């Protein structure tokens, strides 16, 4: 699959059914993440993949209202990192930025493999820290919910891609423009 095809195809689908996510699949996803660029090649992205039914059930209790769809997850990855794994330059802490690039590559690879990889931030961090026995100095940046796209209809359909900002609000040429200040309306 071409990169452009994966970019167009990737979606945060919520209607999911079970799919086998074994260690070989996990390794392919992590390989895609590990080839991402990072400050000084620091590679600050780390993942705890939860696949065992017992811990998966616990993880589901951490989901916030609105994320009940994720109860159908076949696997949940906690994306973790910490400041001291990466550069701090001019006051900017790059670990979040670089981990995001790694996750971006991982979710495109999942798309190519026919797997839905839906990032969420709506979960109780404290609970997840406990369930995966995470030491205090680490941050959980997000969870990634993995599954196979289901044809089951949801109350609020996930078929249409949420609208994007018009490109004119996303870039300017040669100098800053006030139009870059436009926020997405919800
Ligand atoms: C940091 C982050 C947090 C998100 N949190 C949630 C969430 O808690 N629940 C959810 O259903 N989707 C969540 N999403 C998915 C976004 O809603 C989704 O990416 C956006 O609406 C665009 O849709 P698309 O990914 O299908 O193109 C999150 C995405 C990101 C990157």
């Amino acid at each position: 699959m071409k990169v452009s095809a994966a970019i167009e195809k990737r979606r945060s689908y919520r209607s999911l059914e079970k799919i086998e996510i074994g260690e070989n699949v996990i390794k392919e996803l992590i390989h895609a993440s590990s080839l991402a660029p990072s400050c000084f090649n620091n590679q600050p992205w780390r993942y705890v993949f939860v696949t065992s039914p017992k811990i998966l059930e616990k993880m589901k209790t951490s989901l916030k209202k609105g994320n009940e769809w994720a109860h159908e997850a076949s696997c949940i990855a906690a994306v973790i990192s910490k400041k001291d794994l990466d550069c701090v330059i001019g006051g900017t802490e790059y670990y979040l930025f670089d981990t995001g690039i790694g996750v971006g590559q991982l979710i495109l690879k999942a798309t190519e493999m026919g797997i839905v990889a839906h990032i969420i931030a709506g979960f109780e961090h404290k609970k997840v820290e406990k369930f995966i026995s995470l030491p205090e100095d680490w941050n959980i940046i997000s969870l990634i919910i993995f599954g196979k796209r289901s044809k089951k209809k949801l109350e609020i359909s996930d078929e249409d891609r949420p609208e994007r900002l018009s490109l004119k609000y996303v870039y300017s040429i040669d100098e800053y423009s006030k139009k870059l200040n436009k926020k997405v309306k919800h």
Side-chain angles (χ1 to χ4, degrees), residues 7 9-14 64-67 69 103 107 117-123 141-143 158 160-164 186:
I7 290 170
K9 195 169 172 225
R10 185 214 59 79
R11 285 289 320 286
S12 300
Y13 290 116
R14 285 178 279 113
K64 288 202 175 157
K65 198 168 176 302
N67 281 337
W69 57 268
V103 170
I107 63 177
H118 185 152
I119 300 167
I120 65 164
F123 62 93
I141 300 169
S142 71
L143 298 182
D158 65 357
D160 296 330
R161 189 190 288 281
E163 201 184 328
R164 295 314 206 240
H186 292 288

Side-chain angles (χ1 to χ4, degrees), residues 54-171:
K54 197 175 147 205
I55 308 180
L56 213 43
E57 282 316 302
K58 285 188 183 176
M59 292 287 278
K60 290 173 188 175
T61 69
S62 77
L63 298 170
K64 288 202 175 157
K65 198 168 176 302
N67 281 337
E68 294 80 5
W69 57 268
H71 282 257
E72 294 303 318
S74 304
C75 166
I76 300 178
V79 179
I80 60 168
S81 189
K82 53 181 170 177
K83 183 178 153 183
D84 67 7
L85 290 179
D86 208 349
C87 314
V88 179
I89 300 177
T92 299
E93 299 174 357
Y94 281 93
Y95 75 107
L96 296 172
F97 182 81
D98 289 352
T99 299
I101 304 174
V103 170
Q105 296 202 176
L106 183 153
I107 63 177
L108 287 180
K109 181 68 189 178
T111 304
E112 185 194 57
M113 294 166 78
I115 299 168
V116 173
H118 185 152
I119 300 167
I120 65 164
F123 62 93
E124 290 176 52
H125 285 62
K126 287 271 165 250
K127 278 192 176 178
V128 174
E129 279 164 24
K130 193 173 115 206
F131 299 150
I132 63 169
S133 308
L134 191 70
E136 263 187 11
D137 53 337
W138 287 82
N139 299 332
I140 305 177
I141 300 169
S142 71
L143 298 182
I144 309 175
I145 307 298
F146 293 97
K148 180 173 182 281
R149 193 183 176 199
S150 163
K151 291 198 174 82
K152 219 170 35 210
K153 299 266 180 249
L154 298 175
E155 220 169 281
I156 304 169
S157 169
D158 65 357
E159 272 171 36
D160 296 330
R161 189 190 288 281
E163 201 184 328
R164 295 314 206 240
L165 273 181
S166 162
L167 298 190
K168 69 176 186 235
Y169 297 120
V170 181
Y171 77 100

